[in-house]
Amino acid sequence: MFQEKASANCLNIVPTSTEDGAFQKKGHSARVLSPEEAEKLAKDQVLVSEFKQLKLEKEAQKNWDLFYKRNSTNFFKDRHWTTREFQELKACREFADQKLTILEAGCGVGNCLFPLLEEDKNIFAYACDFSPRAVEYVKKNALYSAERCKVFQCDLTKDDLLDNIPADSVDVVTLIFVLSAIHPDKMHLVLRNIYKVLKPGKCVLFRDYGLYDHAMLRFKSGSKLGENFYVRQDGTRSYFFTEEFLSQLFKAEGYEQVVNEYVQRETVNRKEDLRVPRVFLQSKFQKPFRET
């Protein structure tokens, strides 16, 4: 799925269909808003107060812990699409049965981790999350095995991954719907931290919310923290990425861009006759080989 086709304008859109029949297209052009959507966003310019923003930052871990307390392991579906979308998990092997070491940065309750371990018996996984409660849920899962994974609590913006993972030891890092929950001013710290444990020549596989995703358009007035950055009612936050912002973020920390593109889907609720536009950014960034 990570094949980027050459284009003079960098404006390729590649329509595909998914297993559930939904229409999907990939490319370098952002979603075009309807006049009503553009008007709604233009009117929503009032930001949450600085006092409340500081409080949200200070209580970020508590808010995510409460999220997992309310939702247990039931909120997110298991992500069996991960190996389908990110063929790098298979393609980076030099031979068929080579053991891969991966890091799932921001593992939640294991919705991505456990399907990966089930589908590929030659993976050893490091996995970490900001929420101590989420980490405990992972460890209590019947599929959890200390022989196949090491799970630990970690604030990726300040806790050194080298305390749990050897330098230059990881073949693939997955960063899936994680960076959007972090304040934009601290995102670079996450990428810098990951860089230290990733092997030269290996990649970070990224997927997260894209600009003008339906979730962004649903926020009510009074939820805006900054440009493309919002707070939910439960105190958790979400950033919506542009292709340009993400590219600059990774490149500033020394990564090379391999693929970086929007994935646009249209989810159809036939019962209510609603068409919901989903926009994600799906990308792959490589740690360069060392100079010889």
Side-chain angles (χ1 to χ4, degrees):
M1 300 296 283
F2 279 115
Q3 293 181 340
E4 192 165 33
K5 299 183 178 179
S7 167
N9 316 342
C10 282
L11 198 62
N12 279 315
I13 294 181
V14 184
T16 61
S17 60
T18 62
E19 289 181 358
D20 58 7
F23 180 79
Q24 175 173 292
K25 62 182 180 180
K26 293 185 176 184
H28 299 284
S29 55
R31 177 176 171 261
V32 178
L33 292 173
S34 69
E36 295 78 15
E37 291 169 338
E39 183 181 4
K40 178 184 182 297
L41 289 181
K43 287 180 178 179
D44 188 15
Q45 298 299 322
V46 178
L47 301 183
V48 170
S49 70
E50 184 179 356
F51 173 79
K52 186 175 180 182
Q53 294 218 33
L54 290 171
K55 188 171 185 287
L56 288 168
E57 179 65 24
K58 184 179 179 180
E59 297 180 352
Q61 185 180 75
K62 183 183 80 172
N63 288 332
W64 276 108
D65 234 31
L66 289 171
F67 170 88
Y68 286 114
K69 182 179 181 180
R70 286 190 300 271
N71 296 289
S72 182
T73 58
N74 303 316
F75 188 81
F76 298 109
K77 295 180 180 178
D78 283 351
R79 293 169 178 158
H80 289 277
W81 48 261
T82 309
T83 50
R84 184 176 71 248
E85 291 289 327
F86 294 118
Q87 289 301 312
E88 179 73 11
L89 289 170
K90 296 178 180 178
C92 70
R93 283 189 167 91
E94 295 175 13
F95 52 90
D97 296 328
Q98 181 182 2
K99 197 172 186 70
L100 285 183
T101 299
I102 71 168
L103 165 62
E104 188 184 0
C107 62
V109 296
N111 298 100
C112 178
L113 173 67
F114 291 121
L116 279 178
L117 292 176
E118 278 190 292
E119 290 174 21
D120 194 327
K121 302 302 181 184
N122 291 309
I123 281 180
F124 179 85
Y126 293 101
C128 62
D129 199 87
F130 191 29
S131 164
R133 192 180 298 272
V135 170
E136 285 306 308
Y137 279 133
V138 172
K139 290 181 176 179
K140 290 176 181 177
N141 191 300
L143 296 172
Y144 176 75
S145 166
E147 295 179 355
R148 296 203 60 204
C149 55
K150 178 180 179 179
V151 183
F152 56 97
Q153 191 276 330
C154 181
D155 179 348
L156 288 166
T157 67
K158 64 179 182 181
D159 297 334
D160 196 341
L161 283 171
L162 293 176
D163 291 340
N164 286 282
I165 306 173
D168 301 336
S169 67
V170 174
D171 295 294
V172 181
V173 176
T174 60
L175 196 59
I176 299 175
F177 296 104
V178 172
L179 209 58
S180 57
I182 295 168
H183 195 288
D185 291 347
K186 294 185 176 182
M187 290 178 182
H188 70 286
L189 299 173
V190 177
L191 303 186
R192 189 176 301 171
N193 206 355
I194 288 170
Y195 192 93
K196 293 183 288 187
V197 301
L198 189 61
K199 290 179 181 178
K202 301 303 183 180
C203 294
V204 177
L205 307 181
F206 175 95
R207 185 175 173 108
D208 218 320
Y209 298 109
L211 185 69
Y212 305 146
D213 178 60
H214 179 66
M216 178 177 175
L217 302 175
R218 287 181 60 194
F219 280 105
K220 296 179 181 179
S221 180
S223 303
K224 191 171 184 178
L225 301 171
E227 185 178 7
N228 305 331
F229 193 37
Y230 296 83
V231 61
R232 302 182 184 93
Q233 289 185 338
D234 63 4
T236 61
R237 298 168 296 177
S238 186
Y239 186 85
F240 297 85
F241 290 92
T242 65
E243 184 185 83
E244 297 78 13
F245 177 82
L246 189 70
S247 179
Q248 292 169 9
L249 198 64
F250 271 91
K251 288 178 179 178
E253 296 305 320
Y255 294 86
E256 296 173 347
Q257 179 174 308
V258 181
V259 177
N260 187 29
E261 60 190 1
Y262 293 104
V263 177
Q264 298 187 42
R265 293 189 52 161
E266 189 176 71
T267 303
V268 180
N269 185 328
R270 291 183 174 84
K271 185 177 180 181
E272 299 182 21
D273 195 27
L274 290 176
R275 295 179 179 273
V276 177
R278 302 311 311 266
V279 183
F280 308 112
L281 210 57
Q282 185 161 299
S283 312
K284 175 179 170 183
F285 292 90
Q286 183 180 51
K287 179 177 179 176
F289 289 98
R290 289 194 182 95
E291 293 182 2
T292 56

